[in-house]
Amino acid sequence: MPNTAQDWAELLVKKQLPSPFRVGQLVLRKMEEGNLPYAKLATTINHDPILAYSVMSQANKERAAGSETSKTVDQAISMIGMEDLKKTIQDLPFQSPSSKDIKSFYYIRVMSTSLYAAHLGKAISLQKAKGNPEDIYWSSLFMGVPLWHLWRYATPEMRLIRYAIRSNFKLPQTAEKEVLGDSIINVTSAIAKQLSLPDLVKDCYKTKNQLKKKEWIQLAHATSPQGIPRRIEDRNLLLTMQSPHFVVMLANLVAHFATYDWYSKATLRSQRMLATYLQITLDDAIKLTHEVAAEMSRTHPLPTVMLPAAKLLVPPR
């Protein structure tokens, strides 16, 4: 069994992620019916995060040395062309979703979290008028790809970490190192380095761009239960908050906590961070996260898992 971040990365990146959806077949039928704009094909492909990632990954592998990575799926389609798109779809393995298959359940659940992060990232970008909303959407979605690999191909280990934290009350990093030999952030960063991900996603995994725990706490503390948040005075933190990758990281942080338990202290803390970043009240930040949950759940009726909007009805754990 691997016991370092690099070992895990080398093992997992060799494995192709299967799709539990049949969107690829729909896309092939549409392609046979006639010439469709790349944007319309991308809209259909968006219903399958694995297919979307496969198309984007293929485009980034084929790009010229030194050129920018593909940022959106329609741009990726234009880079690889229709023939390569068809081949990418045909080569993508299919795995039927099953509520009785624990690997399938966790695999789709982690995709649900990523899709919520994507919708939230886009909403934040639109409200803040920061970055390109479509770029933010896809990067927020694909930031989760390393975790998709872990939950699909290291399901027993990931469940053991959850059990150690929630039942044995171990600190997350302690549990992660006992099971994986390293922290999850180091493992996912090592995986991200070896994948053909958008540059914005890779920026999120660079150590220099990651906020320290005290900086996240500083963001949360700037928002009180009532009133507009205080402005951040820390120059370094302000500079980080100005970068496009910050929106991607913030959206994924909120999604991580909210899709597990909407009513936990950790979720509330992340909503306070969101309020500070957008300079809106905490009530408005909570309202935004709930509205995005409803939008994402309508757009992506994933099988076998409880969607974010449905989880709003689940009592606190």
Side-chain angles (χ1 to χ4, degrees):
M1 179 187 289
N3 59 6
T4 68
Q6 193 59 35
D7 288 346
W8 278 108
E10 290 176 0
L11 172 69
L12 295 176
V13 297
K14 295 175 184 175
K15 300 178 181 292
Q16 187 176 9
L17 293 171
S19 172
F21 315 108
R22 296 190 180 275
V23 173
Q25 301 305 312
L26 175 61
V27 174
L28 290 176
R29 286 198 297 273
K30 287 190 174 186
M31 290 171 67
E32 290 173 359
E33 291 169 1
N35 293 325
L36 286 174
Y38 294 152
K40 284 193 175 181
L41 284 175
T43 299
T44 303
I45 290 171
N46 177 35
H47 291 286
D48 183 346
I50 302 300
L51 176 57
Y53 166 65
S54 298
V55 172
M56 181 89 71
S57 179
Q58 186 62 33
N60 289 335
K61 285 176 185 174
E62 294 181 4
R63 78 187 194 280
S67 62
E68 283 192 355
T69 56
S70 170
K71 297 178 180 178
T72 64
V73 169
D74 49 334
Q75 181 187 9
I77 296 171
S78 69
M79 289 170 66
I80 65 175
M82 300 302 275
E83 284 304 313
D84 275 0
L85 173 60
K86 183 177 180 180
K87 187 176 185 305
T88 299
I89 294 171
Q90 291 171 337
D91 291 345
L92 185 65
F94 172 75
Q95 182 184 50
S96 182
S98 170
S99 58
K100 297 179 181 179
D101 181 349
I102 200 68
K103 286 187 177 182
S104 172
F105 170 77
Y106 280 109
Y107 185 43
I108 295 175
R109 191 166 80 167
V110 74
M111 276 189 273
S112 174
T113 298
S114 294
L115 283 165
Y116 176 68
H119 282 263
L120 182 59
K122 183 176 181 178
I124 295 170
S125 176
L126 287 168
Q127 181 147 341
K128 189 74 172 177
K130 191 76 178 176
N132 182 305
E134 289 303 315
D135 294 356
I136 299 295
Y137 176 93
W138 293 109
S139 293
S140 298
L141 174 65
F142 295 140
M143 187 178 175
V145 172
L147 281 172
W148 301 356
H149 279 271
L150 279 166
W151 277 109
R152 175 61 186 86
Y153 292 112
T155 313
E157 289 82 1
M158 295 296 284
R159 293 185 69 203
L160 190 58
I161 291 169
R162 287 168 61 90
Y163 181 82
I165 295 169
R166 287 164 185 155
S167 297
N168 295 340
F169 307 106
K170 290 189 176 181
L171 293 173
Q173 283 207 339
T174 300
E176 292 161 11
K177 287 182 178 179
E178 286 181 0
V179 176
L180 300 177
D182 210 329
S183 66
I184 284 180
I185 184 59
N186 287 342
V187 173
T188 52
S189 296
I191 294 171
K193 286 179 182 177
Q194 297 193 36
L195 297 175
S196 298
L197 295 166
D199 290 334
L200 195 54
V201 177
K202 289 186 176 289
D203 287 342
C204 294
Y205 281 104
K206 291 177 180 176
T207 304
K208 66 177 182 179
N209 292 334
Q210 291 170 12
L211 268 66
K212 298 181 179 65
K213 185 177 179 180
K214 67 177 183 180
E215 291 175 316
W216 286 116
I217 292 172
Q218 187 179 344
L219 276 174
H221 284 177
T223 292
S224 62
Q226 293 85 29
I228 297 296
R230 300 190 310 274
R231 292 197 174 274
I232 298 296
E233 303 294 338
D234 186 311
R235 183 173 176 275
N236 290 331
L237 182 52
L238 279 172
L239 286 173
T240 300
M241 290 167 64
Q242 294 302 312
S243 60
H245 65 258
F246 178 79
V247 178
V248 175
M249 293 192 296
L250 178 60
N252 273 271
L253 184 72
V254 176
H256 171 73
F257 292 118
T259 55
Y260 175 69
D261 183 356
W262 276 106
Y263 305 104
S264 69
K265 290 181 180 179
T267 299
L268 180 61
R269 193 181 304 119
S270 70
Q271 290 165 329
R272 290 171 67 180
M273 296 171 192
L274 176 61
T276 300
Y277 177 69
L278 292 176
Q279 285 295 292
I280 58 177
T281 65
L282 177 58
D283 283 348
D284 284 342
I286 293 172
K287 180 183 176 183
L288 176 63
T289 59
H290 291 184
E291 289 174 344
V292 172
E295 178 197 6
M296 175 263 156
S297 300
R298 284 194 302 268
T299 307
H300 302 279
L302 303 176
T304 74
V305 298
M306 185 175 285
L307 296 169
K311 286 186 175 182
L312 283 166
L313 305 177
V314 176
R317 296 187 180 220

